[in-house]
Amino acid sequence: MTKIVEHFINGEIVADDNSRYQDVFNPATGEVSKQVAIASKATVEQAIGAAEAAFPAWRNTSPAKRTQVMFRLKTLLEEHSETICNMISDEHGKVHHDAMGELTRAIENVEFACGAPQFLKGEHSKNVGTNIDSWSEFQALGVVAGITPFNFPAMVPFWMWPLAVVCGNTFVLKPSEKTPSASLFMAQLALEAGLPPGVLNVVNGDKEAVDTLLQDPRVQAVSFVGSTPIAEYIYTTGTAHGKRVQALGGAKNHAILMPDAALDNAVPAIMGAAYGSCGERCMALPLVVAVGDEVADALIEELKIELAKMKIGPGRDNSNDMGPLITKAHYDKVKGYVDLGVEEGATLVVDGRDTVVEGYENGYFLGGCLFDHVTPEMKIYKDEIFGPVLGIVRVKTQQEAMELINNHEYGNGTCIFTRDGESARYFTDNIKVGMVGVNVPLPVPVSYHSFGGWKRSLFGDLSMYGPDGVRFWTRRKTITQRWPSASLREGTSFSFPNS
Amino acid sequence: MTKIVEHFINGEIVADDNSRYQDVFNPATGEVSKQVAIASKATVEQAIGAAEAAFPAWRNTSPAKRTQVMFRLKTLLEEHSETICNMISDEHGKVHHDAMGELTRAIENVEFACGAPQFLKGEHSKNVGTNIDSWSEFQALGVVAGITPFNFPAMVPFWMWPLAVVCGNTFVLKPSEKTPSASLFMAQLALEAGLPPGVLNVVNGDKEAVDTLLQDPRVQAVSFVGSTPIAEYIYTTGTAHGKRVQALGGAKNHAILMPDAALDNAVPAIMGAAYGSCGERCMALPLVVAVGDEVADALIEELKIELAKMKIGPGRDNSNDMGPLITKAHYDKVKGYVDLGVEEGATLVVDGRDTVVEGYENGYFLGGCLFDHVTPEMKIYKDEIFGPVLGIVRVKTQQEAMELINNHEYGNGTCIFTRDGESARYFTDNIKVGMVGVNVPLPVPVSYHSFGGWKRSLFGDLSMYGPDGVRFWTRRKTITQRWPSASLREGTSFSFPNS
Amino acid sequence: MTKIVEHFINGEIVADDNSRYQDVFNPATGEVSKQVAIASKATVEQAIGAAEAAFPAWRNTSPAKRTQVMFRLKTLLEEHSETICNMISDEHGKVHHDAMGELTRAIENVEFACGAPQFLKGEHSKNVGTNIDSWSEFQALGVVAGITPFNFPAMVPFWMWPLAVVCGNTFVLKPSEKTPSASLFMAQLALEAGLPPGVLNVVNGDKEAVDTLLQDPRVQAVSFVGSTPIAEYIYTTGTAHGKRVQALGGAKNHAILMPDAALDNAVPAIMGAAYGSCGERCMALPLVVAVGDEVADALIEELKIELAKMKIGPGRDNSNDMGPLITKAHYDKVKGYVDLGVEEGATLVVDGRDTVVEGYENGYFLGGCLFDHVTPEMKIYKDEIFGPVLGIVRVKTQQEAMELINNHEYGNGTCIFTRDGESARYFTDNIKVGMVGVNVPLPVPVSYHSFGGWKRSLFGDLSMYGPDGVRFWTRRKTITQRWPSASLREGTSFSFPNS
Amino acid sequence: MTKIVEHFINGEIVADDNSRYQDVFNPATGEVSKQVAIASKATVEQAIGAAEAAFPAWRNTSPAKRTQVMFRLKTLLEEHSETICNMISDEHGKVHHDAMGELTRAIENVEFACGAPQFLKGEHSKNVGTNIDSWSEFQALGVVAGITPFNFPAMVPFWMWPLAVVCGNTFVLKPSEKTPSASLFMAQLALEAGLPPGVLNVVNGDKEAVDTLLQDPRVQAVSFVGSTPIAEYIYTTGTAHGKRVQALGGAKNHAILMPDAALDNAVPAIMGAAYGSCGERCMALPLVVAVGDEVADALIEELKIELAKMKIGPGRDNSNDMGPLITKAHYDKVKGYVDLGVEEGATLVVDGRDTVVEGYENGYFLGGCLFDHVTPEMKIYKDEIFGPVLGIVRVKTQQEAMELINNHEYGNGTCIFTRDGESARYFTDNIKVGMVGVNVPLPVPVSYHSFGGWKRSLFGDLSMYGPDGVRFWTRRKTITQRWPSASLREGTSFSFPNS
């Protein structure tokens, strides 16, 4: 019998009455491994209702007590890391060690959440006027929601819910229906860690679930990570329904390779960033802009050597470097982009299209592809391919490289490889991108900073997790207080008050 | 010849080619005092263009240098305070001392802006991983805009532009066409203080100007204060065009009067908050919820005495307590609400409808009105009247009073009058309102805290001015940096990075 | 064979060559339970050397990695809480549930330490001048030391070392030789949690050990909690040797009981604060200043009833409310103060001097004593008795009560019992005491605030643990950086630089 | 008649009864220009008394009102900048443009002080336990004092008193008796700006005044800048009298010149830093450590050219680059060091000992001196010379250069000249110096960061001005508050409280 991934509402696994289900595949084998329930509007409303019911008590629980759950959850996640990473490998396809990297990042967000008593502090002002004090409180919003993508089944949900919950909110999570198992399992661990039923609920589903979350007036805030068209839809729909929304979209991250870059550092960095997780990361590196032909030629020679060594195969085998793509449809799409790149006139230096993994002939494996002479007019330059396809663009100056980046639709991540302090500083100052690396190819901010791109990579004003996350998941309240005194009386003032 | 209020673009007074003009009235006399230019789309685009051209140099000016303009502006505003307050009184009608209160608050926002080098600091983390550092920068957005209401011609624009500008942005301000003069004059003072041309531009106008600002892709952010329907329009339109938006709307602020309140403190506080500036403030106090009949009766006796003493007349006469309403249309609307209140069954204890000011018979003067026995079903309870009309609601318990407030559409400001610590703490904790006073009837946060309501009083996630204002007017950039070392080499990692 | 409590150096239990030992008593039985090694100068230097050797690697460990030890330590402390609390009860005498309260506070300091990546952030300023950036780093000091008192064997060491260590320092702890076991055991747990050998070392000892720590040039900072004369010695000696020192001394905490206080809340609060842990706490409450005879009389009636019910006995029996005093000498001293109070003319309302606990006739048990009519001239008013002796002072006004407090030598903790907001605010504003409670009798700041008295209760400028603790355990470094540009050259400036 | 510089106490110029006076010289002419009063103990106590009397009202003035004085003071200082700079040039000798640089830095500290409402905010925690709140306040200390050196007559006093005063303290300043006029004049400007009499007092004097400040129990804190032996005396004496003290001492700042440094940037930077203000700055650069002979030789060639062009003469002539030394005695001492350097075997490449300025033959002018082949054993390497004497040390590696710096007694400022990111990062991370420049020769932190060296350059734990200054000038108070509720009663707890 096929395993079924249901919903998790009010601390219990809940099956949907309407019985819509969708296949979950193992991308390494191409086989259906499970079925996932697709929530009806009623089921999502049930989850919202559970969250609403859990809110008053949880909101009144002291931050220090809320963090106790997070401390325990960290320990449980570490204890069950193998199980979680296997779930991820089996549904997403990424190699086990890569899943472990993702899980570590997830846990780091739990660690940050453990600091709630510190980061929830308001600002207290004595004597804003004579004997008048004023302070701010950052109060919980109520029921909030997160909608997350397939490519980080553990990490992205954990960018959202631990912080939201430790701020006093109650949560409805809708993970990707392609990779649903980890979220469900981790929510059960949270319950085990002491999170009261209803504080975190998980519903699997599709557009019906999403729209319910966006429209239900009880949902106060929505956090989203996915592609730009959907992010834009989420943002405009959610805000039109009076919610606060942060919606993170697509990316096309460029690295600039300067002539003085340390190639022996840059090459492995680029390899990992371009092909790790099959390029299915919003912080992946699909483009390298080489400044000068000399460094471009040298880079390509090195990459050819490295690509020849790169080991492709199922994620459960930890000796592999890269696993399969997520679905057959996505495999076809990425392969189509490689075909298109050839048509558009780019030089396909390494062609991974014929890759077959022995014993996994039905898996969605595509070998690493490398294009040289990519130009800004090409679709393979403009579009987010989300596959193991790296393009080299050749330019003459750092300035030219930066203009390319600044003119691109997306502004998620970027990197410069250089040894020179001034190059790095000019780059970080003037590049129109939210997350910037200097010799760091995947400049994902650590959990105590915040994640967010610029331009069409982020809709909203606050980035995700870290300090901005705290601000997103709370509502500011400002209290101004004075106490009347028997000995201190004032006349009426019809003027606008000032201290 | 009628004085004409034009636009201020790129450091110069600019007349519009399309020559639409609108009358500006003196509400104390009912006479047309000036004409205000109504900007065409082209003129607004000219202002946006000026701001765009001024951006690169201003953005690269160090925060410490930008603040020098603010220091000088503060001095200039203080030197010209009489002129500014007369402009306000003449166009808005409020009494001169009230205008001075408003101006002081405007200047306090300039003072806060002087702290830019401090509040623009990012967070720096050494060793997020081995020899990897990470820090955040809060960079300017580019061209940003503010759209402001008639009721605080000096203060509300200064909630926005000094902070936006000191953060490195360039600004287009569209003030109310009913009270345009102060903004124009103060922008010229900013120029005199050393603000480079184009950094602050003022366009007068109507919906055409507003829509241009909302739709032009060069405008990165819009800040708005006005009524809730317009705020909602601004928010959904602006966000649909990819901008960050904060839009502050209407209010219906309740004060709770507890049985233990110090009446001799509460009565003058309520008088000023209910009738000051004719009730035309989003932080005005149109409702008092009295807990118990005893305190309700006592309050009403006192208010009757105070209302009899309240002096009504033109704003230029500083001995007056209250001036006229803003327009004839608004006078009719407010008077209509008083008529309606009587119809709805509330007890009109004091009737200001027949008030005539000698020598100012055409002015829009309405006397202070006081209703008793207002109930939540009445329209005079639900609607924002924005006039000198105070309603008393009678309840039995603090809890009942709080439920009224929590169920109201708006959540801007509120206040409790009590001597009891526990009553105050329970109130401030559980009330669903953004700005909360304890024995402070107009709990407007000082400039170093932030202004924002809850529910339909604020669209967006960040409040206005103060710390939230800084966050609104800047874009987060996170840099992650490591330097390659000749002696320190790494192998390729295809896993997701973690420290 | 008597159990011997040795030292813990470089991850190992170390016996001293010089073989000085001192008895450790069980105060409930009066019997010698163990012997504690008294470190020679050489042994302390060995510990300092171990800490010095461990410093470079630990300092270069990323804060995120250092916190992993703290996360694990929290779990281990919870798992071994029974063992630790038994050690505390057996050596100190306090009741097991009271030891658990202390341990919980210790763990809360570990929880705060888990936030190191957040609280170690420096401040980053872009463009302090044109293209010049500046930021601060909070770097570890090196080898640091803590000297702790007998009364909180678990908590006070944990106010110091987890924070010091997570900031990158290495530590030598000298706990009280009266209650040494918990520190030693907990240090071993830290090793088990992954703390590298040498990062935390424990030496037991007396003045020789203290002086070695104060004089050794390798020790960068000393944190101390104890009596005021020793605190002053530690402070002047340590600073004279170029170290940073914070030295917390004695206390004589007053509570003000206002006429409107809620007695049913105040009485249990006072009972616990006065007699809990036999009054051997620097935050104990040995004085209540009653405002008006009415509330004084009522209080005394209630306290008599409560004292009659208070159960005294050995700490291992969790049904007891109060255990024995720490030593025979201290028992004699406290009893002597009760005798003196009678001589000085105070009214001994309840006399605990004859208390004998059956089966524990040799234990150092003193019953709760209550004096009325204590006056400021008496030695029992002025001196820190550190025993179960509560004095009532009668005054006529809040002002008079506050003057008493403000004139006292100590300024550690204080409290007011009232319902009135103004009384509370006037008190908290004007009282010259570092830790102030409103209806909270033991206002010990939580771990994410900081602990410190005023006047002769604290020598130094930074309080202990929390934000001040972070500042104490780190050294500020400010970096100012610009990169030379080929296109940007400057002339020589002989003037003092300004941006 | 000689002009006499008296004291400024309680808003008035005060002459001392005991009539001790000391000559003030013009170092450019060698003539006595004024006499300065030397305060007796009684006069200093009078100043302390004035400060004590002014404290209660000033402490209760809201921070926003206190800052109004600072805003006006900034304007007044700018208006009187010529007068102030002339005072400085005439008494100190430094060139007018250099005095203006110093004054600008003084004003920047006033600007920072204008942010008091922001930086005085405490931290507010809701629900540290159920219905228990806790917050911190940073309260004024009371009477505090500053003791400042001759070399920055305007700047160093302004590192201290504006911040101390805006935090609510009242101040006694004892400036250098060699350069007293600017402090007195600027204090009078503060009075004109609205500072109440007694809030800032200035006493001129010598050790008698210093000791009075150190011993008087009314003085709560002392801030000092001067030489290391005096700093150590101030620190140990002040702390032994129970005060908080920060005492900044001497320096011997090294710059590392890396082989890849941009010489055309480094040479003017080194010239200004070594010879500006005659080297009489604690942030001056008396040592350059050149890594490799090649860059050393090139540097020396360039410096010889620059030194030949350097113009020496009286400070009033703004075309000069360098003025005279402060006194004849100091001239002799510095010249003696040059003689000694020759004896010790260093190579005197440029000899400024015979410099005579025409028309100023009695001025204390010493030409710029340049030594090559300075080694760590020499006294000219070890001692702070405080004159226009630059020494070049030659080493082979960056590591060797850094060890020199790390082994030196002082750790005030340092700098590296390089283009390489890794060199810079390794240097800033590992160098044991408080203020570190990367291509910035005088890395004085801006006013919104904090100034402080390491090792024997700073006694105390908090740096001067900026965020650390705020902490130094305030005392932390932590309030923990709950309100008793009729419906919420608790039993007695004898255990130690935890949330």
Side-chain angles (χ1 to χ4, degrees), chain D residues 247-460:
Chain D
L248 277 61
K252 188 81 176 187
N253 302 325
H254 303 51
I256 299 181
L257 188 70
M258 294 294 287
D260 75 334
L263 263 199
D264 49 356
N265 169 66
V267 168
I270 291 168
M271 281 298 297
Y275 301 107
S277 201
C278 241
E280 295 169 324
R281 294 168 180 159
C282 66
M283 288 296 274
L285 192 62
L287 288 171
V288 172
V289 187
V291 177
D293 287 329
E294 197 174 341
V295 76
D297 294 340
L299 172 69
I300 286 167
E301 283 317 297
E302 295 283 343
L303 291 178
K304 280 159 66 177
I305 296 167
E306 294 299 318
L307 276 165
K309 292 190 293 190
M310 186 168 72
K311 202 180 152 203
I312 300 171
R316 282 279 192 139
D317 178 351
N318 233 339
S319 72
N320 285 320
D321 295 320
M322 194 173 90
L325 286 160
I326 179 71
T327 59
K328 181 67 170 62
H330 191 55
Y331 172 90
D332 292 341
K333 181 182 153 196
V334 174
K335 198 170 182 179
Y337 268 112
V338 181
D339 300 341
L340 178 64
V342 175
E343 277 175 46
E344 290 181 312
T347 310
L348 186 58
V349 179
V350 178
D351 184 353
R353 285 176 291 182
D354 295 332
T355 298
V356 178
V357 176
E358 205 182 303
Y360 293 87
E361 287 77 6
N362 294 322
Y364 317 137
F365 293 97
L366 183 73
C369 300
L370 176 65
F371 278 110
D372 193 5
H373 300 295
V374 174
T375 59
E377 300 74 31
M378 298 178 182
K379 273 184 76 66
I380 61 164
Y381 173 83
K382 290 179 186 161
D383 292 3
E384 181 174 35
I385 298 178
F386 231 57
V389 183
L390 173 62
I392 311 295
V393 184
R394 290 167 179 246
V395 298
K396 297 221 175 336
T397 65
Q398 179 178 348
Q399 187 63 38
E400 193 183 340
M402 287 172 60
E403 275 159 23
L404 278 180
I405 298 172
N406 284 346
N407 290 331
H408 200 283
E409 173 186 8
Y410 298 121
N412 212 44
T414 189
C415 171
I416 191 167
F417 290 100
T418 183
R419 290 179 165 287
D420 187 79
E422 195 203 8
S423 277
R425 205 271 184 187
Y426 183 77
F427 177 72
T428 61
D429 184 18
N430 292 291
I431 204 72
K432 294 180 179 167
V433 171
M435 295 173 285
V436 183
V438 176
N439 300 304
V440 173
L442 290 181
V444 182
V446 287
S447 65
Y448 42 102
H449 286 263
S450 297
F451 185 106
W454 284 20
K455 294 187 280 187
R456 287 175 62 80
S457 294
L458 170 66
F459 299 87

Side-chain angles (χ1 to χ4, degrees), chain C residues 59-60 97-98 100-102 104-105 108 123-125 127-128 132 134-140 152 155 232 235-236 239-240 242-245 262 264-265 267-269 271-273 275-277 281 306 310 321 418-421 424 427-440 442-446 448-450 452 454 459-463 467-468 471-472 474-486 489-499, chain D residues 59-60 97-98 100-102 104-105 108 123-125 127-128 132 134-140 152 155 232 235-236 239-240 242-245 262 264-265 267-268 271-273 275-277 281 306 310 321 418-421 424 427-440 442-446 448-450 452 454 459-463 467-468 471-472 474-486 489-499:
Chain C
R59 176 246 192 235
N60 283 338
H97 55 70
D98 187 23
M100 194 62 85
E102 170 189 353
T104 303
R105 287 284 193 162
E108 285 170 11
E123 296 183 321
H124 185 273
S125 293
N127 278 340
V128 297
I132 304 177
S134 194
W135 69 93
S136 51
E137 298 182 359
F138 292 93
Q139 298 201 340
F152 285 104
M155 182 179 73
E232 194 163 19
Y235 187 65
T236 54
T239 56
K243 304 180 194 322
R244 60 174 66 188
V245 183
D264 49 355
N265 169 67
V267 168
M271 281 297 297
Y275 302 107
S277 200
R281 295 168 180 161
E306 294 299 320
M310 187 167 72
D321 295 320
T418 182
R419 291 180 165 285
D420 187 79
F427 177 72
T428 60
D429 184 17
N430 291 291
I431 205 71
K432 293 180 179 167
V433 172
M435 295 172 285
V436 184
V438 176
N439 299 304
V440 172
L442 289 182
V444 182
V446 286
Y448 41 102
H449 285 264
S450 296
W454 284 20
F459 299 87
D461 37 24
L462 290 166
S463 295
D468 265 13
R471 189 66 195 84
F472 181 77
T474 58
R475 203 168 262 139
R476 179 186 286 268
K477 183 182 273 188
T478 306
I479 291 133
T480 306
Q481 179 173 286
R482 64 173 305 232
W483 295 104
S485 160
R489 292 284 174 267
E490 306 131 30
T492 299
S493 167
F494 290 85
S495 294
F496 200 67
N498 55 71
S499 56
Chain D
R59 176 248 192 234
N60 283 337
H97 54 70
D98 187 23
M100 194 62 84
E102 171 189 355
T104 302
R105 288 282 193 163
E108 285 170 11
E123 296 183 320
H124 186 273
S125 293
N127 279 340
V128 298
I132 303 177
S134 195
W135 69 94
S136 52
E137 298 182 359
F138 293 93
Q139 297 202 340
F152 285 104
M155 184 178 73
E232 193 163 20
Y235 187 65
T236 55
T239 54
K243 302 180 195 324
R244 61 174 67 187
V245 182
D264 49 356
N265 169 66
V267 168
M271 281 298 297
Y275 301 107
S277 201
R281 294 168 180 159
E306 294 299 318
M310 186 168 72
D321 295 320
T418 183
R419 290 179 165 287
D420 187 79
F427 177 72
T428 61
D429 184 18
N430 292 291
I431 204 72
K432 294 180 179 167
V433 171
M435 295 173 285
V436 183
V438 176
N439 300 304
V440 173
L442 290 181
V444 182
V446 287
Y448 42 102
H449 286 263
S450 297
W454 284 20
F459 299 87
D461 39 22
L462 290 166
S463 295
D468 264 13
R471 189 66 196 85
F472 182 76
T474 58
R475 203 168 263 140
R476 179 185 287 266
K477 184 182 272 186
T478 305
I479 293 132
T480 306
Q481 180 172 285
R482 65 173 304 234
W483 296 104
S485 160
R489 293 284 176 266
E490 307 132 31
T492 299
S493 167
F494 291 85
S495 294
F496 199 67
N498 54 71
S499 54

Side-chain angles (χ1 to χ4, degrees), chain A residues 448-468:
Chain A
Y448 41 102
H449 285 264
S450 297
F451 186 106
W454 284 21
K455 295 188 281 186
R456 288 176 61 79
S457 294
L458 170 66
F459 298 88
D461 37 23
L462 290 166
S463 295
M464 203 161 281
Y465 68 72
D468 264 14

Side-chain angles (χ1 to χ4, degrees), chain B residues 446-480:
Chain B
V446 286
S447 64
Y448 41 101
H449 285 262
S450 297
F451 186 106
W454 284 20
K455 294 188 281 187
R456 287 176 61 79
S457 293
L458 169 66
F459 299 88
D461 38 22
L462 290 165
S463 294
M464 203 161 281
Y465 68 73
D468 265 13
V470 175
R471 189 67 196 84
F472 182 76
W473 296 117
T474 58
R475 203 169 263 139
R476 180 185 286 265
K477 183 182 273 186
T478 305
I479 292 132
T480 306

Side-chain angles (χ1 to χ4, degrees), chain D residues 219-250:
Chain D
V219 176
Q220 303 293 315
V222 176
S223 187
F224 171 84
V225 174
S227 68
T228 286
I230 309 296
E232 193 163 20
Y233 172 77
I234 297 279
Y235 187 65
T236 55
T237 310
T239 54
H241 284 83
K243 302 180 195 324
R244 61 174 67 187
V245 182
Q246 57 180 188
L248 277 61

